[in-house]
Amino acid sequence: MKAVTWQGKRDVRVEEVPDPKIEEPTDAVIRITSSGLCGSDLHLYEVLTPFMTPGDILGHEPMGIVEEVGPEVTGLKPGDRVVVPFQISCGRCYMCSSGLQTQCETTQVTSEGMGAALFGYTRLYGAVPGAQAEYLRVPQAHYGPIKVPEGPADDRFVYLSDVLPTAWQAVAYADVPRGGTVAVLGLGPIGDMACRIALARGAARVFGVDLVPERLARARGRGVETFDLRDFDNEKELVAAIQDETEGRGPDAVIDAVGTEAHGSVAARLVQQTAAVLPRALSGPIAERFSVDRMAALYTAIELVRRGGTISLSGVYGGMADPMPMLTLFDKQIQMRMGQANVRRWTDDILPYLTDEDPLGVDDFATHKVSLADAPHAYEMFQKKQDGAVKVLIKP
């Protein structure tokens, strides 16, 4: 089959790879009909290269048709239409039973000290072949795949794999009071959808911050009050402008949907770039022990949120040596929640929104749809924020 493979920093290629097959009794194999290109994929493209191996198959936002199931997979059969969560979880262990599927004790990558295995996402998370491909082996298929009805286009449901539950958890963790206020830093796919969900769940005002005109325009079109970073000389001016809209105190919650590739911090960017070009024998240990993130968005969130408010982190951070302003966090009594989205914890809450009325705007959420062969160009376009790219779907 054909698949998108990682070959090096900013180097992805479509190659012929072996077809997946049933390896465990709880496996399934699905034929991919749509697969998303995620902002997290760009971390592999640019920043987390020390944890990648040439030939790794990328992608973790799949939807498709079941082709084959193992003997212990119940509730699924060939021909079923399914969305597959980006994490692999068993549904039976203590963590899954507690709604923490990202910490699944069956698939935890204990050799790396990490949580549940993920599709297409570095050796830290199991080096499981990903979903930007024609076919996908799905471990733990007795639990993970979400059956969806025939009829609507893939766009209606494909975001259940990542975008929707990640944005939903970001809003849930932010604990925005009904009638309250929330600022969302970063209006890429997750930040954009988090704004929509916050409004749908009763937030009175949502402030969105970005510097890409197309992203700002999309958010404004959904009722978000937008702030263009380019209009401010520094962080303090931005913080003051939003605080002026909240009686001087700041929003009740801030969602950081940017993460490790935030603008700012030239020194941190240099460290990331240096680690990415070192020999693999050096880059991995250095990145694991001494990695530094570009934390401008998180520092802004800490400064911006009101005293006693909540910060919700959905942007991926990977640093181990990052300074944190603990005095400010403690003095302002800030609550902070974070983590990979526990997909199956939220999907039953999200499904009622995926109706023909389309309150979250999923049917036209994708800005670009490309073939598998065009995936390398899509990565470059998305990384450089060209041609208004906000969300890309790959159609094998």
Side-chain angles (χ1 to χ4, degrees), residues 169-174 254-257 310-315 335-338:
Q169 178 171 295
V171 174
Y173 278 11
V254 177
I255 294 171
D256 173 1
T310 302
I311 294 173
S312 173
L313 303 184
S314 63
Q335 301 178 71
M336 190 176 294
R337 300 188 71 183
M338 66 193 80

Side-chain angles (χ1 to χ4, degrees), residues 18 119 159 340:
F119 288 104
Y159 305 114
Q340 304 275 11

